[in-house]
Structure formats: structure tokens, C-alpha cells
Amino acid sequence: QVQLVESGGGLVQAGGSLRLSCAASVSIFSGNAMAWYRQAPGKQRELVAAITSGGDTNYVDSVKGRFTISRDNAKNTLYLQMNSLKPEDTAVYYCHARYLTNSRQWGRGTQVTVSS
């Protein structure tokens, strides 16, 4: 019944890198635009990066040039390569289909903590 499982988070020093993975169900992943979101305590959930079914990408300005979103359609898996991490990137990161967020449950997310 679990349809979204995020992994790859952890504690990293500023300037370091992490690669997040999201294993998604076929019903969520196939044919849909996918996205990574993040939420820090006391703040609203923020769209970080998105990728269409055809591979077009877009990013929030604060991560542009540092993060790369990609997808493996054969494995129903979404990735987020995060380089040059900053303390401001600290948050719980979630994946989801871009336009199914209100109709499907969110996963548990994966914690990313960036220390100075």
C-alpha cells in the first residue's frame, strides 16, 4: 500500500553532496510529471524541482545550478542529486507526482540536514 518511499537523506557538511531516491508505484509514476518538495519546521512545503514525463525540468531559483532532478522510467524511480549543499537546504524532502498531490497520500520523506 506504500506508494512513495524516499531515501538517501542524512547529515552532511555545507558544500557536500547527497543523492535522494524515490521509489514510486506505477500508478503514480508512469506517464506523470514528478517533483521533489521540501518542508522545514514551521515553514510551508516548497516545490524544489520538477520533471515532466518527457524529461523537461525546472527548479526553484534557490537550488538552480546545484540540484539535478532525473527519473528512471524503467525502475519507476525519481532522483535528486544535490551538490554544494547549504544549511538553508535543511528540510524533510518528499517526492510526489506533480499533479496528484491532493489525491494520493504523501510518503514519509527523508531528512536532509546540512551543518555549517
Side-chain angles (χ1 to χ4, degrees):
Q1 292 181 343
V2 177
Q3 297 185 316
L4 294 164
V5 181
E6 300 92 345
S7 62
L11 175 63
V12 64
Q13 292 184 334
S17 298
L18 286 172
R19 185 194 297 271
L20 306 184
S21 298
C22 170
S25 67
V26 173
S27 62
I28 290 179
F29 194 93
S30 183
N32 290 321
M34 297 292 295
W36 285 97
Y37 302 82
R38 66 186 181 187
Q39 186 168 29
K43 297 184 178 180
Q44 293 184 332
R45 185 179 62 235
E46 174 189 33
L47 177 65
V48 177
I51 183 168
T52 69
S53 61
D56 294 325
T57 62
N58 54 63
Y59 303 88
V60 67
D61 286 344
S62 61
V63 309
K64 195 170 298 181
R66 300 188 296 120
F67 291 10
T68 302
I69 187 171
S70 61
R71 62 193 293 162
D72 186 334
N73 291 332
K75 297 181 178 180
N76 296 319
T77 302
L78 184 72
Y79 303 97
L80 185 67
Q81 178 66 46
M82 305 186 296
N83 298 325
S84 302
L85 282 163
K86 304 176 180 179
E88 306 90 86
D89 297 319
T90 296
V92 178
Y93 283 71
Y94 302 88
C95 66
H96 215 311
R98 179 67 179 85
Y99 303 107
L100 296 178
T101 57
N102 292 327
S103 60
R104 300 294 189 95
Q105 291 185 336
W106 293 79
R108 189 169 297 165
T110 185
Q111 176 71 50
V112 172
T113 303
V114 184
S115 63
S116 300

